[in-house]
C-alpha cells in the first residue's frame, strides 16, 4: 500500500535534520521536506496554504484560531525557541538606557502579531513595568520595504500601530533615529554594521535571560508545527505520526550535541556548554509535548490576549490536536 504524501515546510534545524535526511521516517507518510527560511514558510502557508504541514509562528497560529473556519491544527512540537531579551535594539541617541525609558517611544515591530515581539512586549510589561499600550508601534519590512501583516488584525483602540512608508525599512529608521527601538527576531543590519549607533537594550543579555529562566521556568516558544485542517480531518492519524517522527528526530540531536568523539557542531566548548545548559535547565532542555510546556503556553496565550491579538483567553489545550495530548502506556 502506498504511503500518504505530505509536504512539510521547515527550516534545516539540527533537531529536524534526521527527518529532512530521511534517517527518521514518519509512520505511513512519504514526507517531502521543503527547506525554507521561516519568513518564506509562514508567508506561503498563511497566505496561500501551500503545504500540508509546516513549522509556524506560534502567534500567527494563535491568531488564525479565531477565523470563522480555523485553517490549521497544531501539534505540541516546538522547532524554534529563544530567549528574546537580546532582541530589543535601541538607537544610541534615543535616551533609552533601561526598559522604562521605552515608555512613550516609537518602537518598530516587523509585524505586530509576530511571536518574538509578542513575547518581548509581554516580558517588558510583566517584569519591567512597560505597559503594552505605552508606546507607538511602527510595522513594516525590517530590511526590505513593503512587508504587510500576514493576518488581518482587529486591535483595541488603546494599541497604537501604524505602518511605515512604502520605501522605508525599520533597520534604517532605527539607525537614523526615526524610531527609537526595535523588537524583532532577526538581528538588524544596522546593529551589525551601524558603527555603534544601534545597541542592545540588554548588553549582558545572557545573564538577564538566565535570571529570567531561573525566576519563571519559561523558555519562550517561537514556533509550533501546524497541519492544514483539511489534511488533518481526512487522516487524523497524521498528527500523531508527525509528532512521533519529530520527537525521534530531536533525540538524534540531543545525542549528537553530547558526542565527544568528534564535535558535530563548530563550537570549541560545545560539551561544556551542553553540560552547563543541562545543569541549568535539565536533561530535556528543549522539551516537546504538552505537559512540559503548559505553563509557557499559558503565559504566551495571556500575552496574546492582553495585547489585543486574541479575542478571548485561550487555554493551551485548545491549540493542539487532541490525539497528541496523551500517549499510550504499556
Amino acid at each position: 500500500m502506498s504511503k500518504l504524501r505530505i509536504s512539510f515546510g521547515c527550516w534545516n534545524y539540527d533537531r529536524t535534520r534526521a527527518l529532512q535526511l530521511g534517517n527518521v521516517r514518519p509512520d505511513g507518510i512519504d514526507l517531502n521536506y521543503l527547506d525554507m527560511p521561516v519568513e518564506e514558510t509562514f508567508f506561503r502557508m498563511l497566505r496561500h496554504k501551500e503545504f500540508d504541514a509546516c513549522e509556524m509562528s506560534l502567534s500567527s497560529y494563535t491568531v488564525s484560531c479565531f477565523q470563522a473556519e480555523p485553517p490549521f491544527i497544531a501539534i505540541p512540537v516546538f522547532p524554534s525557541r529563544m530567549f528574546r531579551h537580546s532582541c530589543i535594539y535601541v538607537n544610541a541617541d534615543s535616551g533609552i538606557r533601561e526598559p522604562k525609558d521605552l515608555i512613550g517611544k516609537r518602537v518598530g515591530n516587523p509585524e505586530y502579531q509576530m511571536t518574538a515581539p509578542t513575547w518581548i512586549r509581554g516580558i517588558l510589561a510583566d517584569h519591567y513595568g512597560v505597559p503594552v499600550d505605552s508606546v507607538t508601534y511602527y510595522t513594516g519590512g525590517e530590511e526590505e520595504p513593503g512587508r504587510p501583516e500576514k493576518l488581518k488584525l482587529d486591535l483595541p483602540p488603546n494599541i497604537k500601530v501604524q505602518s511605515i512608508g512604502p520605501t522605508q525599512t525599520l533597520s534604517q529608521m532605527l539607525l537614523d533615529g526615526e524610531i527609537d527601538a526595535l523588537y524583532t527576531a532577526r538581528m538588524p543590519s544596522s546593529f551589525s554594521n551601524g558603527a555603534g549607533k544601534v545597541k542592545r537594550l540588554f548588553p549582558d543579555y545572557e545573564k538577564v535571560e538566565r535570571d529570567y529562566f531561573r525566576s519563571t521556568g519559561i523558555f519562550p516558544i517561537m514556533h509550533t508545527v501546524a497541519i492544514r485542517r483539511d489534511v488533518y480531518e481526512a487522516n487524523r492519524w497524521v498528527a500523531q505520526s508527525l509528532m512521533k517522527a519529530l520527537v525521534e528526530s530531536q533525540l538524534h540531536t540531543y545525542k549528537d550535541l553530547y558526542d565527544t568523539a568528534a564535535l558535530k557542531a563548530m563550537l570549541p566548548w560545545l560539551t561544556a556548554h551542553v553540560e552547563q545548559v543541562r545543569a541549568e535547565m535539565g536533561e530535556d532542555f528543549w522539551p516537546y509535548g504538552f505537559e512540559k510546556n503548559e505553563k509557557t503556553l499559558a503565559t504566551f496565550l495571556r500575552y496574546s490576549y492582553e495585547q489585543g491579538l486574541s479575542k478571548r483567553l485561550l487555554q493551551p489545550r485548545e491549540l493542539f490536536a487532541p490525539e497528541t495530548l496523551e500517549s499510550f502506556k504499556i
Side-chain angles (χ1 to χ4, degrees), residues 3 25-29 237-238 240-242 244-245:
K3 294 184 176 182
R25 298 180 185 275
D27 296 339
I29 290 174
W237 57 268
V238 165
Q240 190 71 283
S241 187
L242 282 175
K244 285 173 59 181

Side-chain angles (χ1 to χ4, degrees), residues 110-165:
E111 296 178 45
Y112 181 79
Q113 62 84 32
M114 274 177 63
T115 308
T118 304
W119 274 109
I120 290 169
R121 294 187 299 260
I123 289 168
L124 288 170
D126 270 3
H127 300 278
Y128 297 98
V130 183
V132 172
D133 59 1
S134 66
V135 310
T136 300
Y137 301 101
Y138 291 79
T139 61
E142 183 173 322
E143 303 292 346
E144 296 179 277
R147 176 174 178 172
E149 294 277 355
K150 294 184 186 70
L151 296 171
K152 183 179 179 181
L153 303 181
D154 181 18
L155 301 173
N158 64 311
I159 304 292
K160 302 178 288 293
V161 178
Q162 61 185 72
S163 300
I164 63 176

Side-chain angles (χ1 to χ4, degrees), residues 110-319:
E111 296 178 45
Y112 181 79
Q113 62 84 32
M114 274 177 63
T115 308
T118 304
W119 274 109
I120 290 169
R121 294 187 299 260
I123 289 168
L124 288 170
D126 270 3
H127 300 278
Y128 297 98
V130 183
V132 172
D133 59 1
S134 66
V135 310
T136 300
Y137 301 101
Y138 291 79
T139 61
E142 183 173 322
E143 303 292 346
E144 296 179 277
R147 176 174 178 172
E149 294 277 355
K150 294 184 186 70
L151 296 171
K152 183 179 179 181
L153 303 181
D154 181 18
L155 301 173
N158 64 311
I159 304 292
K160 302 178 288 293
V161 178
Q162 61 185 72
S163 300
I164 63 176
T167 63
Q168 292 179 301
T169 66
L170 293 172
S171 180
Q172 189 64 41
M173 290 175 73
L174 183 61
L175 183 66
D176 295 339
E178 295 178 292
I179 56 175
D180 304 297
L182 175 62
Y183 307 163
T184 188
R186 282 187 181 270
M187 182 186 298
S189 60
S190 54
F191 174 77
S192 54
N193 58 25
K197 292 182 180 179
V198 173
K199 298 184 176 182
R200 285 191 171 100
L201 177 61
F202 296 104
D204 56 343
Y205 61 88
E206 183 179 357
K207 177 185 182 304
V208 174
E209 291 170 352
R210 286 181 183 276
D211 289 345
Y212 168 80
F213 179 78
R214 289 171 187 146
S215 67
T216 66
I218 290 174
F219 182 16
I221 292 169
M222 297 295 129
H223 305 166
T224 187
V225 170
I227 304 168
R228 218 173 58 230
R229 180 80 58 167
D230 62 300
V231 174
Y232 167 72
E233 293 295 351
N235 299 278
R236 294 185 67 140
W237 57 268
V238 165
Q240 190 71 283
S241 187
L242 282 175
M243 183 165 174
K244 285 173 59 181
L246 284 157
V247 168
E248 185 181 348
S249 181
Q250 186 201 38
L251 291 175
H252 282 241
T253 300
Y254 270 142
K255 182 178 181 297
D256 286 348
L257 288 174
Y258 205 54
D259 192 333
T260 60
L263 296 178
K264 293 193 176 183
M266 295 192 304
L267 292 170
W269 291 281
L270 173 64
T271 303
H273 180 66
V274 171
E275 290 174 351
Q276 182 183 30
V277 170
R278 283 178 167 181
E280 185 85 56
M281 302 175 71
E283 294 282 322
D284 186 15
F285 51 83
W286 195 297
Y288 289 173
F290 178 75
E291 289 185 7
K292 293 181 180 180
N293 292 286
E294 187 170 7
K295 177 184 177 182
T296 299
L297 291 162
T299 300
F300 177 81
L301 291 174
R302 175 169 62 85
Y303 290 165
S304 182
Y305 177 66
E306 291 172 347
Q307 296 173 29
L309 291 166
S310 293
K311 298 310 172 188
R312 65 176 176 85
L313 180 59
L314 292 172
Q315 298 304 307
R317 282 183 174 271
E318 296 181 73
L319 297 178

